[in-house]
């Protein structure tokens, strides 16, 4: 048999040139992914998003002063509560459900101190609470109910359970904790235990005992003793579960890793210079989004903590009482807590902030909101509200793009204000009460019962038609660790690139006093995104690898495409 004739050399050269040309065209028609705050993407570039967000007044009566707030899974409600000590609020308990304060005199309190607020209608359901939750701590249980700890006087040693789905009544155990916990921080751990750290004059920690049981004694925590200033500056410590299972604790200007199995401090990090970051010099802190890069159960996930604002002065609280209001801190520190020898990296915010809130948006950006530019926490101890939220993008390619100032509100959110991310990706902003009681007149900052919703820049009207939507039933309601997961979305795009997608899972934070307990956003490992119909895509990813990366419980899952998030769906991880 004759071999086929080989093509002449000129034809070979022509084919080679053609191939080269094709290659050039494909490379240049897909711009390099740019880690731009607006779009880490391939494909046609969206116009730069100059839309700076929008505020709306949601309701003018939250019923109670929203000192504590958290979104409750599945029921479309936000739980808010203040303190029983004031014996008054703007909403009464159902008829005949008064709290008897003194059996001799028969004195009663017929006001509610906790409410469930409907996220769409602002309808309030008053809930009866007996022990004082003033400056307490909390978080969700695995089943999506609330577990609350500490507070004032008779509430200080209390553990409370609020079963939302059935009865919506509080069950309170006033002697469950071994130490009084006023201004302490609660955090869920990898093994399912819940730790409560610190509190006024309480340099200890303990774990919430089983339902109905009491703790005999706490664990002494020298670190809290050492970080106490004459005016504290170490209350409501910043506590995060590290993806290596240890507990990161930041108080005043120091931080350690606590091993919850051995109850020993396994590492101390360098001091964060510049001032004091915890109550009453209240700064704010967040565990930056955790990014899963491997499907293995023991995947190494790096973690970085961001601490911002606070006070440079040791006496900002005392001087506030004397009408001297120091300018708050403007700087932030970033620390990679999973690195062997990390050091703080400094960033500077466009404005100073004390008593602010930091919430993680589904895009992985951090919103800094609420608070003041002068003074400290406490009644009347601050001035000059910081009305402008900031958007912080930890992945910005250069320093000039780290922060973006957004549209200001008109309502000061001083001491005792809160901010929570809603499943529709708006941020509910409530509270502010710098008075001892509900005081509306003749005071610098009246008790604030108005509630706002803030729409971050991804709500830009010019991008509305590009918002992905998770198809009804297009995401499983429960997932297990490391499970392959496919989310079905509607998306108005003809062609897509996997790198333009993100799937994020967010733990709803319990927010109070600028501390967002349990707040956590996990960026899942993406596997594929395939077109399954006109404007319909299947995005497949892998559920978090283990419970140190993402503890068991409820998450808000969002599909993000070109930095525009879908509304979240509730997913229970177990
Ligand atoms: C109840 O009121 C009586 C009479 O005013 C007072 O002596 C008593 O201390 C009060 N009890 C409590 C628990 O406040
Ligand atoms: C609600 O609680 C009651 C009493 O504990 C129980 O009998 C009932 O089955 C519960 N209902 C649901 C829907 O969980
Ligand atoms: C850290 O805070 C302590 C207690 O207020 C203070 O004495 C110390 O100087 C601070 N350290 C630094 C480096 O700022
Ligand atoms: C308002 O506050 C001022 C200053 O604290 C006080 O002198 C005055 O009596 C107050 N007026 C009323 C009506 O409470």
């Amino acid at each position: 048999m004759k071999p086929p004739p080989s093509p002449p050399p000129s034809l070979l050269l022509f084919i080679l040139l053609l191939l080269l040309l094709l290659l050039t065209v494909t490379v240049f028609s897909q711009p390099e992914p740019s880690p731009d705050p607006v779009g880490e993407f391939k494909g046609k570039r969206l116009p730069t998003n100059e839309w700076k967000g929008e505020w709306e007044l949601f309701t003018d009566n939250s019923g109670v002063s929203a000192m504590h707030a958290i979104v409750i899974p599945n029921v479309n409600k936000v739980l808010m509560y203040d303190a029983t000590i004031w014996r008054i609020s703007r909403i009464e308990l159902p008829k005949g459900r008064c709290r008897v304060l003194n059996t001799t005199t028969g004195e009663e309190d017929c006001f509610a101190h906790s409410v469930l607020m409907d996220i769409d209608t602002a309808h309030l359901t008053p809930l009866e609470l007996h022990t004082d939750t003033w400056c307490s701590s909390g978080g969700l249980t695995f089943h999506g109910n609330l577990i609350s700890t500490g507070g004032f006087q008779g509430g200080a040693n209390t553990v409370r359970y609020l079963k939302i789905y059935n009865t919506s009544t509080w069950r309170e155990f006033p002697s469950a904790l071994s130490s009084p916990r006023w201004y302490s921080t609660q955090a869920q751990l990898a093994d399912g235990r819940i730790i409560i750290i610190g509190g006024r004059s309480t340099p200890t920690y303990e774990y919430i005992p089983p339902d109905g049981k009491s703790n005999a004694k706490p664990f002494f925590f020298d670190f809290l003793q050492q970080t106490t200033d004459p005016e504290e500056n170490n209350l409501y410590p910043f506590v995060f579960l590290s993806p290596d299972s240890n507990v990161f604790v930041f108080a005043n200007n120091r931080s350690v890793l606590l091993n919850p199995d051995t109850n020993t401090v396994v590492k101390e990090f360098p001091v964060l210079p510049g001032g004091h970051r915890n109550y009453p010099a209240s700064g704010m802190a967040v565990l930056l989004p955790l990014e899963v890069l491997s499907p293995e159960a023991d995947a190494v996930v790096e973690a970085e903590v961001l601490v911002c604002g606070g006070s440079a002065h040791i006496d900002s609280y005392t001087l506030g009482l004397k009408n001297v209001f120091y300018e708050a801190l403007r700087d932030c520190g970033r620390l990679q807590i999973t690195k062997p020898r990390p050091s703080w990296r400094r960033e500077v915010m466009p404005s100073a902030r004390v008593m602010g809130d930091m919430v993680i948006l589904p895009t992985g950006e951090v919103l800094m909101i609420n608070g003041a530019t002068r003074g400290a926490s406490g009644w009347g101890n601050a001035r000059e509200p910081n009305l402008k939220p900031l958007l912080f993008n930890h992945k910005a390619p250069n320093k000039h793009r780290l922060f973006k100032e957004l549209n200001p509100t008109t309502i000061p959110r001083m001491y005792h204000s809160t901010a929570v991310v809603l499943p529709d990706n708006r941020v509910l902003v409530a509270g502010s009460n710098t008075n001892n009681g509900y005081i509306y007149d003749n005071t610098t900052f009246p008790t604030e019962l108005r509630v706002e919703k803030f729409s971050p820049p991804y709500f830009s009207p010019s991008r509305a038609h590009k918002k992905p939507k998770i198809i009804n039933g297009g995401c499983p309601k429960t997932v297990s660790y490391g499970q392959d997961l496919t989310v079905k979305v509607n998306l108005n795009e003809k062609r897509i690139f996997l790198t333009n997608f993100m799937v994020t899972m967010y733990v709803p934070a319990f927010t109070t006093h600028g501390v967002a307990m349990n707040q956590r956003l996990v960026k899942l490992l993406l596997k594929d995104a395939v077109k399954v119909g006109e404007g319909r895509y299947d995005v497949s990813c892998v559920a978090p690898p283990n419970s140190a990366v993402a503890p068991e419980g409820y998450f808000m899952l969002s599909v993000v495409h070109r930095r525009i998030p879908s509304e979240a769906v509730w997913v229970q991880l177990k």
Side-chain angles (χ1 to χ4, degrees), residues 163 165-167:
K163 203 168 168 185
Y165 302 114
N166 192 345
T167 51

mmCIF file of all heavy atoms in Angstrom, residues 163 165-167, ligand 2:
data_model
loop_
_atom_site.group_PDB
_atom_site.id
_atom_site.type_symbol
_atom_site.label_atom_id
_atom_site.label_comp_id
_atom_site.label_asym_id
_atom_site.label_seq_id
_atom_site.Cartn_x
_atom_site.Cartn_y
_atom_site.Cartn_z
ATOM 1 N N LYS A 163 -37.126 28.777 71.091
ATOM 2 C CA LYS A 163 -37.476 27.839 70.043
ATOM 3 C C LYS A 163 -38.427 28.572 69.111
ATOM 4 O O LYS A 163 -39.570 28.853 69.476
ATOM 5 C CB LYS A 163 -38.153 26.619 70.688
ATOM 6 C CG LYS A 163 -38.079 25.390 69.847
ATOM 7 C CD LYS A 163 -38.491 24.198 70.690
ATOM 8 C CE LYS A 163 -38.705 22.986 69.823
ATOM 9 N NZ LYS A 163 -39.214 21.873 70.605
ATOM 10 N N TYR A 165 -39.508 27.832 65.896
ATOM 11 C CA TYR A 165 -40.399 27.189 64.940
ATOM 12 C C TYR A 165 -41.719 26.739 65.524
ATOM 13 O O TYR A 165 -42.682 26.575 64.831
ATOM 14 C CB TYR A 165 -39.683 26.006 64.277
ATOM 15 C CG TYR A 165 -38.434 26.482 63.603
ATOM 16 C CD1 TYR A 165 -37.176 26.092 64.038
ATOM 17 C CD2 TYR A 165 -38.531 27.386 62.553
ATOM 18 C CE1 TYR A 165 -36.041 26.573 63.431
ATOM 19 C CE2 TYR A 165 -37.391 27.877 61.941
ATOM 20 C CZ TYR A 165 -36.154 27.458 62.388
ATOM 21 O OH TYR A 165 -35.039 27.949 61.794
ATOM 22 N N ASN A 166 -41.759 26.514 66.803
ATOM 23 C CA ASN A 166 -42.955 25.967 67.380
ATOM 24 C C ASN A 166 -43.635 26.983 68.281
ATOM 25 O O ASN A 166 -44.560 27.668 67.881
ATOM 26 C CB ASN A 166 -42.572 24.695 68.148
ATOM 27 C CG ASN A 166 -43.782 23.909 68.544
ATOM 28 O OD1 ASN A 166 -44.880 24.418 68.508
ATOM 29 N ND2 ASN A 166 -43.570 22.673 68.931
ATOM 30 N N THR A 167 -43.111 27.172 69.430
ATOM 31 C CA THR A 167 -43.823 27.945 70.426
ATOM 32 C C THR A 167 -43.411 29.413 70.492
ATOM 33 O O THR A 167 -44.172 30.231 70.973
ATOM 34 C CB THR A 167 -43.582 27.311 71.799
ATOM 35 O OG1 THR A 167 -42.169 27.152 71.941
ATOM 36 C CG2 THR A 167 -44.236 25.966 71.916
HETATM 37 C C1 LIG B 2 -44.456 21.845 69.250
HETATM 38 O O1 LIG B 2 -44.212 21.580 70.613
HETATM 39 C C2 LIG B 2 -45.161 20.747 71.225
HETATM 40 C C3 LIG B 2 -44.865 20.685 72.716
HETATM 41 O O2 LIG B 2 -43.498 20.499 72.961
HETATM 42 C C4 LIG B 2 -45.143 19.373 70.531
HETATM 43 O O3 LIG B 2 -46.123 18.522 71.092
HETATM 44 C C5 LIG B 2 -45.398 19.563 69.026
HETATM 45 O O4 LIG B 2 -45.252 18.340 68.363
HETATM 46 C C6 LIG B 2 -44.440 20.570 68.426
HETATM 47 N N1 LIG B 2 -44.795 20.868 67.054
HETATM 48 C C7 LIG B 2 -43.890 20.968 66.059
HETATM 49 C C8 LIG B 2 -44.443 21.321 64.720
HETATM 50 O O5 LIG B 2 -42.699 20.831 66.233
#
